[in-house]
Amino acid sequence: MGFFPERTGRKNKVKRVSGQPSKNLMAERRRRKRLNDRLSMLRSVVPKISKMDRTSILGDTIDYMKELLERINNLQEEMHLGSNQLSLLSIFNDVKPNEIVVRNSPKFDVERRDTDTRIEICCAGKPGLLLSTVTTLEALGLEIQHCVISCFNDFAIQASCSEELKKRAILDTEDIKQALLRNAGYGGNVSRVKPSAGQL
Amino acid sequence: MGFFPERTGRKNKVKRVSGQPSKNLMAERRRRKRLNDRLSMLRSVVPKISKMDRTSILGDTIDYMKELLERINNLQEEMHLGSNQLSLLSIFNDVKPNEIVVRNSPKFDVERRDTDTRIEICCAGKPGLLLSTVTTLEALGLEIQHCVISCFNDFAIQASCSEELKKRAILDTEDIKQALLRNAGYGGNVSRVKPSAGQL
DNA sequence: CCGCACACGTGATGC
DNA sequence: TGCATCACGTGTGCG
């Protein structure tokens, strides 16, 4: 508003009497530029651009973010539902994962030679365990080439699998073992299944 | 920059000579208020707020949105992986295998004696066939007691299953066979499984 | 004192 | 012609 910045009558105002009006000005210009850059970036990211207005951009951004959050929630719900279905669709009811009676010392052995992986499991059986085990193996990229399954009393499976070379570098035999343990309802902690202990 | 907004020399400027400096002023104030409101809404939505700066808010918003998009992509990938399993899970959906090369005459045998059901399958292998077959058997109420699987060339499985008595009355061996056929990608009509029928 | 960030009023522009 | 939006320079409080 100051028509005359020097304000002759006022005392300690800015002494911009000399020719440097450009210190604060440049800073303000840079700030404005940064803000506009951010705004244009936002506008480039958000697909729903109703208008080019600053306020509209911010509003659309908010709407888009809420939409994204909702989609994430839906996806996660479906994910959980799907996994539940996976675990219980085969057999009708879901056995609670807690309270698992270890009748015998469970056995989870994973050995690997070249691209061939031999897996031997013997543990307490429960509904759907065979299915989930096969699912787990496939999810790990292990293609079952030959296997013998026995479910009379405990659940026992001996499988020879071939695995994709790409995943071979990533997957450790311990990883496979842990995955199988978790799948079978055991804690997934190797300490709870002593490897060298007299298993079964 | 105009120090002298009235620009005495210029002619038709704003006629703000009278006492209404408040038409455009109020509009500008409203606009600023809307913009600030949107900004505060944004700040309230975005959880990652490093600083309260306007530019920082916008930057954090951009980062957060990219993060959300990435999470959505990951979830959708997992969904698709899971949905593959899910689609193979249900017996009733027809997986369009569009092309299945019958290398040998496929074999789908189902025999039953008392509560014991012997199943023998030998057909062309395809990814997920083992999993879907196990799923199908379990969904039919057939609990695999012992089975031998070989997937070296074709897909072969010999399984001994025990089934629940309730379903035993309902399920026919032919039903089981049809379900297994459909699951394996064959039309489900026994007539189409004629060994010599050139499928595809 | 200075750098920074913000709010303010104002001129200009597009519809 | 009004109305809405924007860019600009500036004042001001805070560290």
Side-chain angles (χ1 to χ4, degrees):
Chain A
M1 214 118 65
F3 299 129
F4 297 81
E6 47 279 31
R7 260 342 186 290
T8 57
R10 294 293 269 156
K11 47 181 185 308
N12 56 358
K13 269 305 178 188
V14 279
K15 74 271 190 180
R16 203 164 290 103
V17 279
S18 58
Q20 305 96 324
S22 52
K23 250 326 180 25
N24 193 358
L25 218 174
M26 291 305 181
E28 180 67 8
R29 282 181 181 171
R30 285 200 305 267
R31 170 180 167 275
R32 264 200 287 262
K33 182 160 180 51
R34 283 203 308 264
L35 212 151
N36 280 346
D37 289 350
R38 290 292 205 286
L39 245 164
S40 61
M41 286 185 60
L42 244 184
R43 184 188 52 193
S44 69
V45 173
V46 178
K48 305 272 297 184
I49 33 175
S50 57
K51 289 189 301 184
M52 289 299 227
D53 299 340
R54 281 168 114 120
T55 59
S56 301
I57 290 178
L58 292 189
D60 293 342
T61 301
I62 295 177
D63 296 343
Y64 185 57
M65 283 189 51
K66 293 192 176 180
E67 185 180 342
L68 285 188
L69 285 177
E70 198 164 350
R71 280 178 57 185
I72 282 189
N73 279 339
N74 289 343
L75 282 183
Q76 280 186 340
E77 278 189 23
E78 294 185 26
M79 278 284 294
H80 287 160
L81 284 182
S83 63
N84 279 341
Q85 286 182 0
L86 255 187
S87 62
L88 63 80
L89 194 150
S90 54
I91 298 301
F92 307 109
N93 54 354
D94 184 15
V95 259
K96 301 160 185 52
N98 48 2
E99 63 169 348
I100 287 191
V101 185
V102 185
R103 287 172 290 193
N104 310 21
S105 301
K107 177 179 186 179
F108 288 82
D109 276 353
V110 177
E111 293 183 12
R112 187 148 58 175
R113 177 196 303 235
D114 287 359
T115 63
D116 190 71
T117 302
R118 286 198 311 107
I119 294 172
E120 191 162 354
I121 300 176
C122 183
C123 66
K126 65 175 184 177
L129 181 54
L130 168 58
L131 177 59
S132 59
T133 301
V134 174
T135 305
T136 301
L137 289 180
E138 292 213 2
L140 290 176
L142 294 171
E143 187 177 356
I144 296 180
Q145 296 283 359
H146 185 82
C147 82
V148 178
I149 298 169
S150 172
C151 307
F152 286 110
N153 191 4
D154 287 347
F155 169 71
I157 175 174
Q158 309 167 30
S160 299
C161 308
S162 72
E163 62 185 317
E164 310 165 11
L165 289 179
K166 299 166 295 190
K167 293 199 173 182
R168 176 159 170 44
I170 306 173
L171 275 180
D172 190 17
T173 57
E174 194 59 30
D175 298 331
I176 300 175
K177 186 173 176 179
Q178 294 301 324
L180 291 173
L181 277 168
R182 278 193 301 272
N183 168 73
Y186 297 89
N189 194 340
V190 73
S191 66
R192 294 182 51 181
V193 183
K194 295 302 278 305
S196 58
Q199 295 172 3
L200 181 64
Chain B
M1 210 122 69
F3 296 128
F4 297 79
E6 48 280 33
R7 272 315 202 297
T8 57
R10 291 298 266 157
K11 46 181 185 310
N12 54 0
K13 269 306 176 186
V14 279
K15 72 274 192 179
R16 200 164 293 104
V17 279
S18 58
Q20 306 98 324
S22 53
K23 253 322 181 24
N24 191 0
L25 218 173
M26 291 306 179
E28 179 68 8
R29 283 179 180 171
R30 286 200 307 268
R31 168 182 169 272
R32 264 199 285 262
K33 179 156 180 53
R34 283 203 307 264
L35 212 152
N36 280 347
D37 290 350
R38 292 290 205 286
L39 245 165
S40 62
M41 288 185 58
L42 244 184
R43 184 188 51 193
S44 69
V45 173
V46 178
K48 306 273 295 185
I49 33 173
S50 58
K51 289 188 304 185
M52 289 300 226
D53 299 340
R54 280 169 116 120
T55 59
S56 300
I57 290 179
L58 292 189
D60 293 342
T61 300
I62 295 177
D63 297 343
Y64 185 57
M65 284 188 50
K66 292 192 176 179
E67 184 180 342
L68 286 188
L69 286 177
E70 197 162 350
R71 281 179 56 186
I72 282 190
N73 277 340
N74 290 344
L75 282 182
Q76 278 188 341
E77 279 188 21
E78 296 184 25
M79 275 288 294
H80 282 160
L81 287 182
S83 71
N84 280 340
Q85 298 176 354
L86 261 184
S87 64
L88 292 175
L89 253 183
S90 91
I91 342 155
F92 308 103
N93 67 345
D94 45 340
V95 256
K96 296 274 191 297
N98 44 18
E99 45 180 348
I100 290 191
V101 186
V102 183
R103 286 171 290 194
N104 308 18
S105 302
K107 177 179 185 180
F108 288 82
D109 278 352
V110 177
E111 293 182 10
R112 189 152 58 177
R113 176 195 302 232
D114 286 359
T115 63
D116 189 71
T117 302
R118 286 199 309 107
I119 293 172
E120 187 162 353
I121 299 176
C122 182
C123 66
K126 66 174 182 176
L129 181 53
L130 168 58
L131 176 61
S132 60
T133 300
V134 174
T135 305
T136 301
L137 289 179
E138 294 214 2
L140 288 176
L142 295 171
E143 188 177 357
I144 296 180
Q145 297 282 359
H146 185 82
C147 81
V148 179
I149 298 169
S150 171
C151 307
F152 287 110
N153 191 5
D154 287 347
F155 169 73
I157 175 174
Q158 310 167 31
S160 298
C161 308
S162 71
E163 62 185 319
E164 310 165 11
L165 289 177
K166 299 167 295 190
K167 291 203 171 183
R168 177 158 169 46
I170 306 173
L171 277 181
D172 190 20
T173 58
E174 194 61 26
D175 298 331
I176 300 175
K177 185 172 177 178
Q178 294 299 324
L180 291 173
L181 278 169
R182 277 196 301 271
N183 168 73
Y186 301 92
N189 193 340
V190 74
S191 63
R192 293 183 52 184
V193 191
K194 293 309 265 312
S196 57
Q199 300 192 356
L200 172 76

